[in-house]
């Protein structure tokens, strides 16, 4: 399985991504970012607003996912925010279509679960997946998630909700 490292983005890098300025975002991040990240500017806009209201979110939100040792950005991953009042974090990741079907989603998930498991404030990791998203269901298989219910997402519609206790 490939290895992934995540690069924390500063507010300046996030702002540059929102503005569509790949060169400025890459300079602020200290690594060559990708057009895929610029195309996901809606996400960076949400996360910029989030960290403005809760600076601690910066340690949890989506980050560029870099393949090791290749050094190329293959997508992004992180959490919707810091642990909630019950210690639950929700995982999220996306692979650039140019790099799909190579094991990067599982590598991202593994790295994110390691991050969550290392934080004593985290009690569990949640994943929300549309019922028709076979790829995402296959990605979480084998990582200890179990379906606990369903929810309605205003953007994605019906989602199955999965939970995995933190590994200690």
């Amino acid at each position: 399985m490939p290895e992934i490292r995540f690069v924390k983005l500063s507010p300046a890098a996030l702002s540059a991504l929102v503005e569509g300025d790949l060169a400025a975002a890459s300079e602020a991040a200290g690594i060559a970012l990708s057009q895929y990240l610029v195309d996901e500017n809606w996400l960076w806009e949400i996360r910029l607003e989030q960290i403005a209201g809760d600076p601690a979110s910066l340690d949890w939100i989506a980050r560029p996912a870099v393949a090791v040792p290749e050094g190329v950005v293959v997508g992004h991953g992180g959490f919707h925010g810091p642990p909630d009042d019950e210690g639950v974090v929700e995982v999220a990741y996306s692979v650039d279509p140019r790099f799909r079907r190579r094991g990067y989603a599982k590598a991202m998930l593994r790295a994110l679960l390691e991050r969550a498991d290392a934080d004593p404030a985290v009690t569990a990791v949640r994943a929300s997946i549309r019922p028709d998203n076979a790829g995402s269901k296959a990605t979480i298989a084998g990582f200890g998630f179990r379906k606990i219910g369903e929810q309605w997402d205003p953007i994605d519609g019906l989602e199955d909700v999965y939970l995995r206790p933190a590994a200690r």
Side-chain angles (χ1 to χ4, degrees), residues 46-93:
I46 290 168
R47 296 307 177 218
L48 257 180
E49 290 172 17
Q50 181 179 356
I51 62 172
D54 179 14
S57 292
L58 188 58
D59 288 335
W60 291 92
I61 61 168
R63 301 171 178 204
V66 179
V68 177
E70 298 87 340
V72 67
V73 173
V74 296
H76 58 78
F79 302 92
H80 288 269
D84 66 15
D85 293 341
E86 287 144 21
V88 178
V89 291
E90 184 159 352
V91 69
Y93 46 87

Side-chain angles (χ1 to χ4, degrees), residues 1-42:
M1 186 180 300
E3 278 196 50
I4 293 291
R5 73 178 174 90
F6 290 101
V7 176
K8 186 174 178 178
L9 295 178
S10 66
L14 292 168
S15 294
L17 285 172
V18 168
E19 293 162 12
D21 190 339
L22 181 57
S26 295
E27 185 174 331
I31 186 167
L33 299 178
S34 67
Q35 185 61 42
Y36 179 68
L37 297 181
V38 172
D39 294 344
E40 298 275 279
N41 64 342
W42 60 271

Side-chain angles (χ1 to χ4, degrees), residues 34-36 72-74 95-100 102 104:
S34 67
Q35 185 61 42
Y36 179 68
V72 67
V73 173
V74 296
V95 178
D96 182 325
R98 298 177 304 143
F99 297 101
R100 289 189 179 151
R102 299 186 197 174
Y104 289 121

